[in-house]
């Protein structure tokens, strides 16, 4: 059993026994090794079952940054998503916020001023959302939210609804709060 939060942020070298690389075949990796090249990890999967707390994760994607697991994304249906949200809301370390789809639609784009006078500079636009802590979360209608987020000192969890032609599903993006050392 592999616990998601325990391996998040860990270096590939320390997790070689639980990660199977899928970015290169063994011959290519051996060729790199013989040439003295330490090929960065781009893709992989776990050789055991992945769990997020007590929830078994069937479909996931591992994101690497400088050979560290920086993010794991997984999907869930509405029922599983509700179970996970209910569970996370009981953990005092997590701050919970949510923004409705209506709020996203009604919020105006804000042009970011770069303080340059270059005519060919591209403008950047963003939307800034204010979370109202007094607003009540409607667990019976999670599909009305553009995103839901949990944040602790170490971990960020973003939950968004996505669609295929057949049905909606929810994507969980779980990543460690970045440290400056992660980028050195």
């Amino acid at each position: 059993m592999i616990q998601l939060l325990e391996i998040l942020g860990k270096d590939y070298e320390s997790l070689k026994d639980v990660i199977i690389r899928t970015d290169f075949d063994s011959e290519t990796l051996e060729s790199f090794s013989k040439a003295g090249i330490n090929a960065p990890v781009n893709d992989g999967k776990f050789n055991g079952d992945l769990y997020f707390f007590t929830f078994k994760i069937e479909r996931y994607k591992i994101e690497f940054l400088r050979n560290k697991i920086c993010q794991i994304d997984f999907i869930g249906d509405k029922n599983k998503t509700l179970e996970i949200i209910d569970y996370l809301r009981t953990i005092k370390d997590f701050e919970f916020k949510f923004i409705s789809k209506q709020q996203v639609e009604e919020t105006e784009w804000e042009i970011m001023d770069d303080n340059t006078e270059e005519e060919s500079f591209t403008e950047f636009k963003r939307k800034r959302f204010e979370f109202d802590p007094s607003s009540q979360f409607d667990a019976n209608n999670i599909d009305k939210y553009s995103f839901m987020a949990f944040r602790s000192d170490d971990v960020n969890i973003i939950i968004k609804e996505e669609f295929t032609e057949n049905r909606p599903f929810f994507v969980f993006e779980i990543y460690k709060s970045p440290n400056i050392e992660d980028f050195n």
Side-chain angles (χ1 to χ4, degrees):
M1 179 168 91
I2 301 164
Q3 187 55 247
L4 188 151
L5 293 179
E6 290 176 8
I7 53 101
L8 198 60
K10 297 272 173 97
D11 189 85
Y12 168 75
E13 289 297 318
S14 67
L15 298 170
K16 275 185 171 179
D17 57 328
V18 297
I19 295 179
I20 300 167
R21 288 186 71 161
T22 57
D23 50 358
F24 297 107
D25 61 29
S26 57
E27 285 180 17
T28 304
L29 288 171
E30 190 175 315
S31 297
F32 280 138
S33 181
K34 286 179 181 175
I37 299 170
N38 188 10
V41 182
N42 294 315
D43 201 14
K45 63 181 181 178
F46 296 111
N47 63 8
D49 293 333
L50 178 65
Y51 283 84
F52 182 55
F53 295 102
T54 59
F55 303 96
K56 186 175 180 181
I57 307 305
E58 300 291 338
R59 296 176 58 195
Y60 60 86
K61 174 148 179 47
I62 307 169
E63 301 283 334
F64 293 92
L65 174 65
R66 300 194 179 212
N67 290 345
K68 290 183 180 179
I69 296 177
C70 66
Q71 181 171 324
I72 297 179
D73 298 344
F74 66 87
I75 61 173
D77 63 17
K78 187 173 184 175
N79 291 333
K80 186 173 196 168
T81 300
L82 278 171
E83 288 177 36
I84 294 172
I85 289 171
D86 286 344
Y87 180 79
L88 290 173
R89 290 180 71 193
T90 67
I91 300 174
K92 293 186 184 346
D93 291 342
F94 284 115
E95 175 185 11
F96 179 51
K97 294 184 177 182
F98 46 89
I99 301 295
S100 71
K101 290 178 181 175
Q102 180 180 356
Q103 187 177 357
V104 170
E105 289 172 11
E106 292 173 355
T107 301
E108 294 292 323
W109 285 100
E110 177 181 307
I111 297 176
M112 295 175 60
D113 184 11
D114 69 333
N115 294 322
T116 65
E117 295 183 16
E118 294 180 37
E119 291 179 28
S120 63
F121 187 78
T122 303
E123 292 180 331
F124 291 100
K125 293 181 181 181
R126 69 176 176 192
K127 288 188 176 189
R128 193 180 288 256
F129 306 104
E130 295 299 324
F131 174 70
D132 179 2
S134 68
S135 58
Q136 294 294 312
F137 180 69
D138 184 1
N140 294 321
N141 294 302
I142 62 171
D143 50 340
K144 78 176 191 177
Y145 297 104
S146 184
F147 66 88
M148 297 154 279
F150 290 88
R151 189 178 86 191
S152 72
D153 290 339
D154 299 322
V155 176
N156 294 297
I157 303 165
I158 308 293
I159 307 165
K160 299 183 284 189
E161 186 178 27
E162 299 288 342
F163 297 91
T164 63
E165 294 173 5
N166 301 338
R167 62 180 173 80
F169 59 94
F170 291 85
V171 176
F172 288 73
E173 298 173 359
I174 303 175
Y175 59 96
K176 281 193 79 74
S177 299
N179 295 321
I180 194 69
E181 301 92 48
D182 294 335
F183 301 101
N184 290 332

